[in-house]
Amino acid sequence: MSFYDSTVPAYLQILGSLSGLLSKAEAHCEAKKIAPEVLLGARLYPDMLPLSKQIQLACDFAAKGCARLSHSEVPSTPDTETTFAELRQRLARTIDYLKTFQPAKFEGADSRDVTFPSGPNTTLTLKGQDFVNRVSFPNFYFHAAIAHGILRHNGVEIGKRDFLGVA
């Protein structure tokens, strides 16, 4: 299996499922007469980030991860989304961006140096495989799973199959 095949499709699957989760969340808000901003601002715990930020970060870890692995320009994405529709557009733009990557850009990426921010004033360099295994995938899946957890905790009728995008 190529390094491309072990990364890009995984990101695409979960980004697509997050879009579906947001659609179900919006329908839940409409059915239960809940103001959308209440659910978009919901958190699992007070010191955790809200649903909207979890979606934005999942997008960032996928897009910036692929850019860093392929030594492409890292996209800048301001976090301006405040509605379900805007978050689904962000997911769609991220999906479209990932679809621009060709497998050839990932050849050798597993052993290529990847430098990324590791704090406000520091960077870290890892080999591509380590970057994916220790940074990009764990953070991507963390934020996607927290988004799912926030929705589930707030009564949106979703399950594991929704998270996997196979419901």
Side-chain angles (χ1 to χ4, degrees):
M1 179 186 319
S2 73
F3 199 59
Y4 171 91
D5 289 332
S6 66
T7 54
V8 175
Y11 291 126
L12 290 173
Q13 176 186 353
I14 299 301
L15 291 170
S17 75
L18 288 172
S19 185
L21 292 176
L22 290 180
S23 293
K24 288 187 175 192
E26 187 171 32
H28 176 80
C29 285
E30 290 171 10
K32 302 291 184 183
K33 307 289 187 248
I34 299 169
E37 56 273 9
V38 171
L39 196 50
L40 290 167
R43 304 164 187 259
L44 283 182
Y45 195 76
D47 68 350
M48 293 180 76
L49 296 170
L51 174 63
S52 58
K53 188 66 175 173
Q54 301 295 341
I55 299 294
Q56 292 163 342
L57 285 167
C59 289
D60 286 351
F61 277 102
K64 293 177 181 185
C66 286
R68 288 185 173 105
L69 287 167
S70 64
H71 282 189
S72 300
E73 184 175 338
V74 176
S76 173
T77 48
D79 298 331
T80 58
E81 298 83 11
T82 60
T83 67
F84 286 113
E86 290 172 349
L87 286 169
R88 280 194 305 274
Q89 289 171 353
R90 170 115 173 217
L91 286 160
R93 283 191 309 271
T94 304
I95 288 168
D96 288 345
Y97 174 71
L98 294 187
K99 287 180 177 179
T100 67
F101 286 97
Q102 298 300 311
K105 290 287 282 181
F106 284 74
E107 287 180 19
D110 56 324
S111 58
R112 190 179 299 150
D113 284 343
V114 175
T115 302
F116 57 95
S118 62
N121 300 311
T122 59
T123 60
L124 185 61
T125 300
L126 296 172
K127 296 297 181 189
Q129 187 69 62
D130 286 336
F131 171 74
V132 167
N133 290 340
R134 294 174 47 199
V135 178
S136 191
F137 272 170
N139 280 286
F140 172 72
Y141 283 113
F142 173 84
H143 292 292
I146 294 299
H148 180 274
I150 289 169
L151 295 175
R152 211 40 209 114
H153 178 74
N154 282 278
V156 179
E157 294 184 18
I158 53 173
K160 182 179 179 179
R161 293 179 60 79
D162 295 289
F163 178 80
L164 296 174
V166 296

